[in-house]
Amino acid sequence: MSTRTWENLQIPAAGTYALDAAHTSIGFVVKHMMVSKVRGGFGDFAGTVTIAENPLESSAELTIRTESINTGVADRDGHLRGDDFLAVDKFPELTFRSTRVVGHSGDEFTLAGDLTIRDVTKPVELTVEYGGAGTNPWGQEVWGFSITTEIDREEFGLTWNQALETGGVLVGKKIKIEIEGEANPAA
């Protein structure tokens, strides 16, 4: 892989890289009934990362098809696709567009950007851990990353909930987003 040394890291050469859907997962975790966590993910997405000559000027974009949500339970997925949550017929995509790299320490970067859900756009910060770069056995250049953030779903209009007899609510307000992935040079 064409890499370069930057602040003791072997990073990819400047250029645009596409997310490798076969080696990337976009997941989320939310509290259920105040006692457990439900995990889910999205299977249909596309994104690019443009690594600048100065890596701190790099940018990223991600588009997720909302209808691809999957928690492993058909009834719950149907509810999440409906008007109470994602309203996939009206809002077929979630998007993230970076605005700037706001800091870094070692292999961890903080990326600020705009997240849009249900046509509501809010600033968010992602913690991006750079995983390294290499060439796979088929000669494809790849580099890896782990991304995490937490959002308040109600800020994006996802306000449906149900009170519990024991106190609290059915669905937590905070959603942890977890992305594990690889990127390859864009064609």
Side-chain angles (χ1 to χ4, degrees):
M1 166 156 224
S2 178
T3 62
R4 57 197 165 129
T5 302
W6 179 79
E7 295 198 9
N8 296 319
L9 292 174
Q10 282 300 116
I11 65 168
T16 299
Y17 297 83
L19 295 188
D20 179 347
H23 297 100
T24 300
S25 65
I26 298 176
F28 60 87
V29 181
V30 65
K31 278 278 214 184
H32 181 252
M33 292 189 56
M34 312 297 290
V35 298
S36 66
K37 294 177 181 174
V38 169
R39 293 183 177 275
F42 293 91
D44 187 358
F45 55 85
T48 58
V49 177
T50 301
I51 298 180
E53 283 299 327
N54 173 357
L56 298 179
E57 296 174 359
S58 298
S59 62
E61 294 186 0
L62 175 64
T63 300
I64 299 170
R65 299 291 300 172
T66 54
E67 67 190 15
S68 72
I69 195 167
N70 183 356
T71 65
V73 177
D75 286 346
R76 179 172 49 223
D77 294 345
H79 189 202
L80 293 171
R81 288 183 187 108
D83 288 344
D84 285 341
F85 288 98
L86 295 174
V88 302
D89 291 337
K90 293 179 210 147
F91 309 106
E93 296 178 342
L94 308 174
T95 60
F96 173 80
R97 304 266 185 273
S98 69
T99 52
R100 62 191 178 100
V101 178
V102 294
H104 85 286
S105 176
D107 63 357
E108 192 171 284
F109 296 78
T110 302
L111 183 63
D114 294 323
L115 177 63
T116 302
I117 303 173
R118 291 180 60 118
D119 279 353
V120 176
T121 302
K122 297 284 183 184
V124 296
E125 285 191 354
L126 309 180
T127 300
V128 181
E129 180 184 348
Y130 170 66
T135 303
N136 71 21
W138 301 273
Q140 177 71 53
E141 296 178 351
V142 302
W143 60 272
F145 54 88
S146 298
I147 300 171
T148 58
T149 194
E150 187 174 272
I151 63 169
D152 179 337
R153 67 183 177 88
E154 292 182 353
E155 291 181 356
F156 293 91
L158 303 171
T159 58
W160 183 91
N161 224 328
Q162 188 170 347
L164 300 173
E165 287 182 21
T166 56
V169 291
L170 187 64
V171 182
K173 285 175 47 168
K174 299 292 184 189
I175 298 176
K176 184 173 184 182
I177 298 169
E178 303 170 327
I179 303 173
E180 297 290 333
E182 293 180 8
N184 317 94

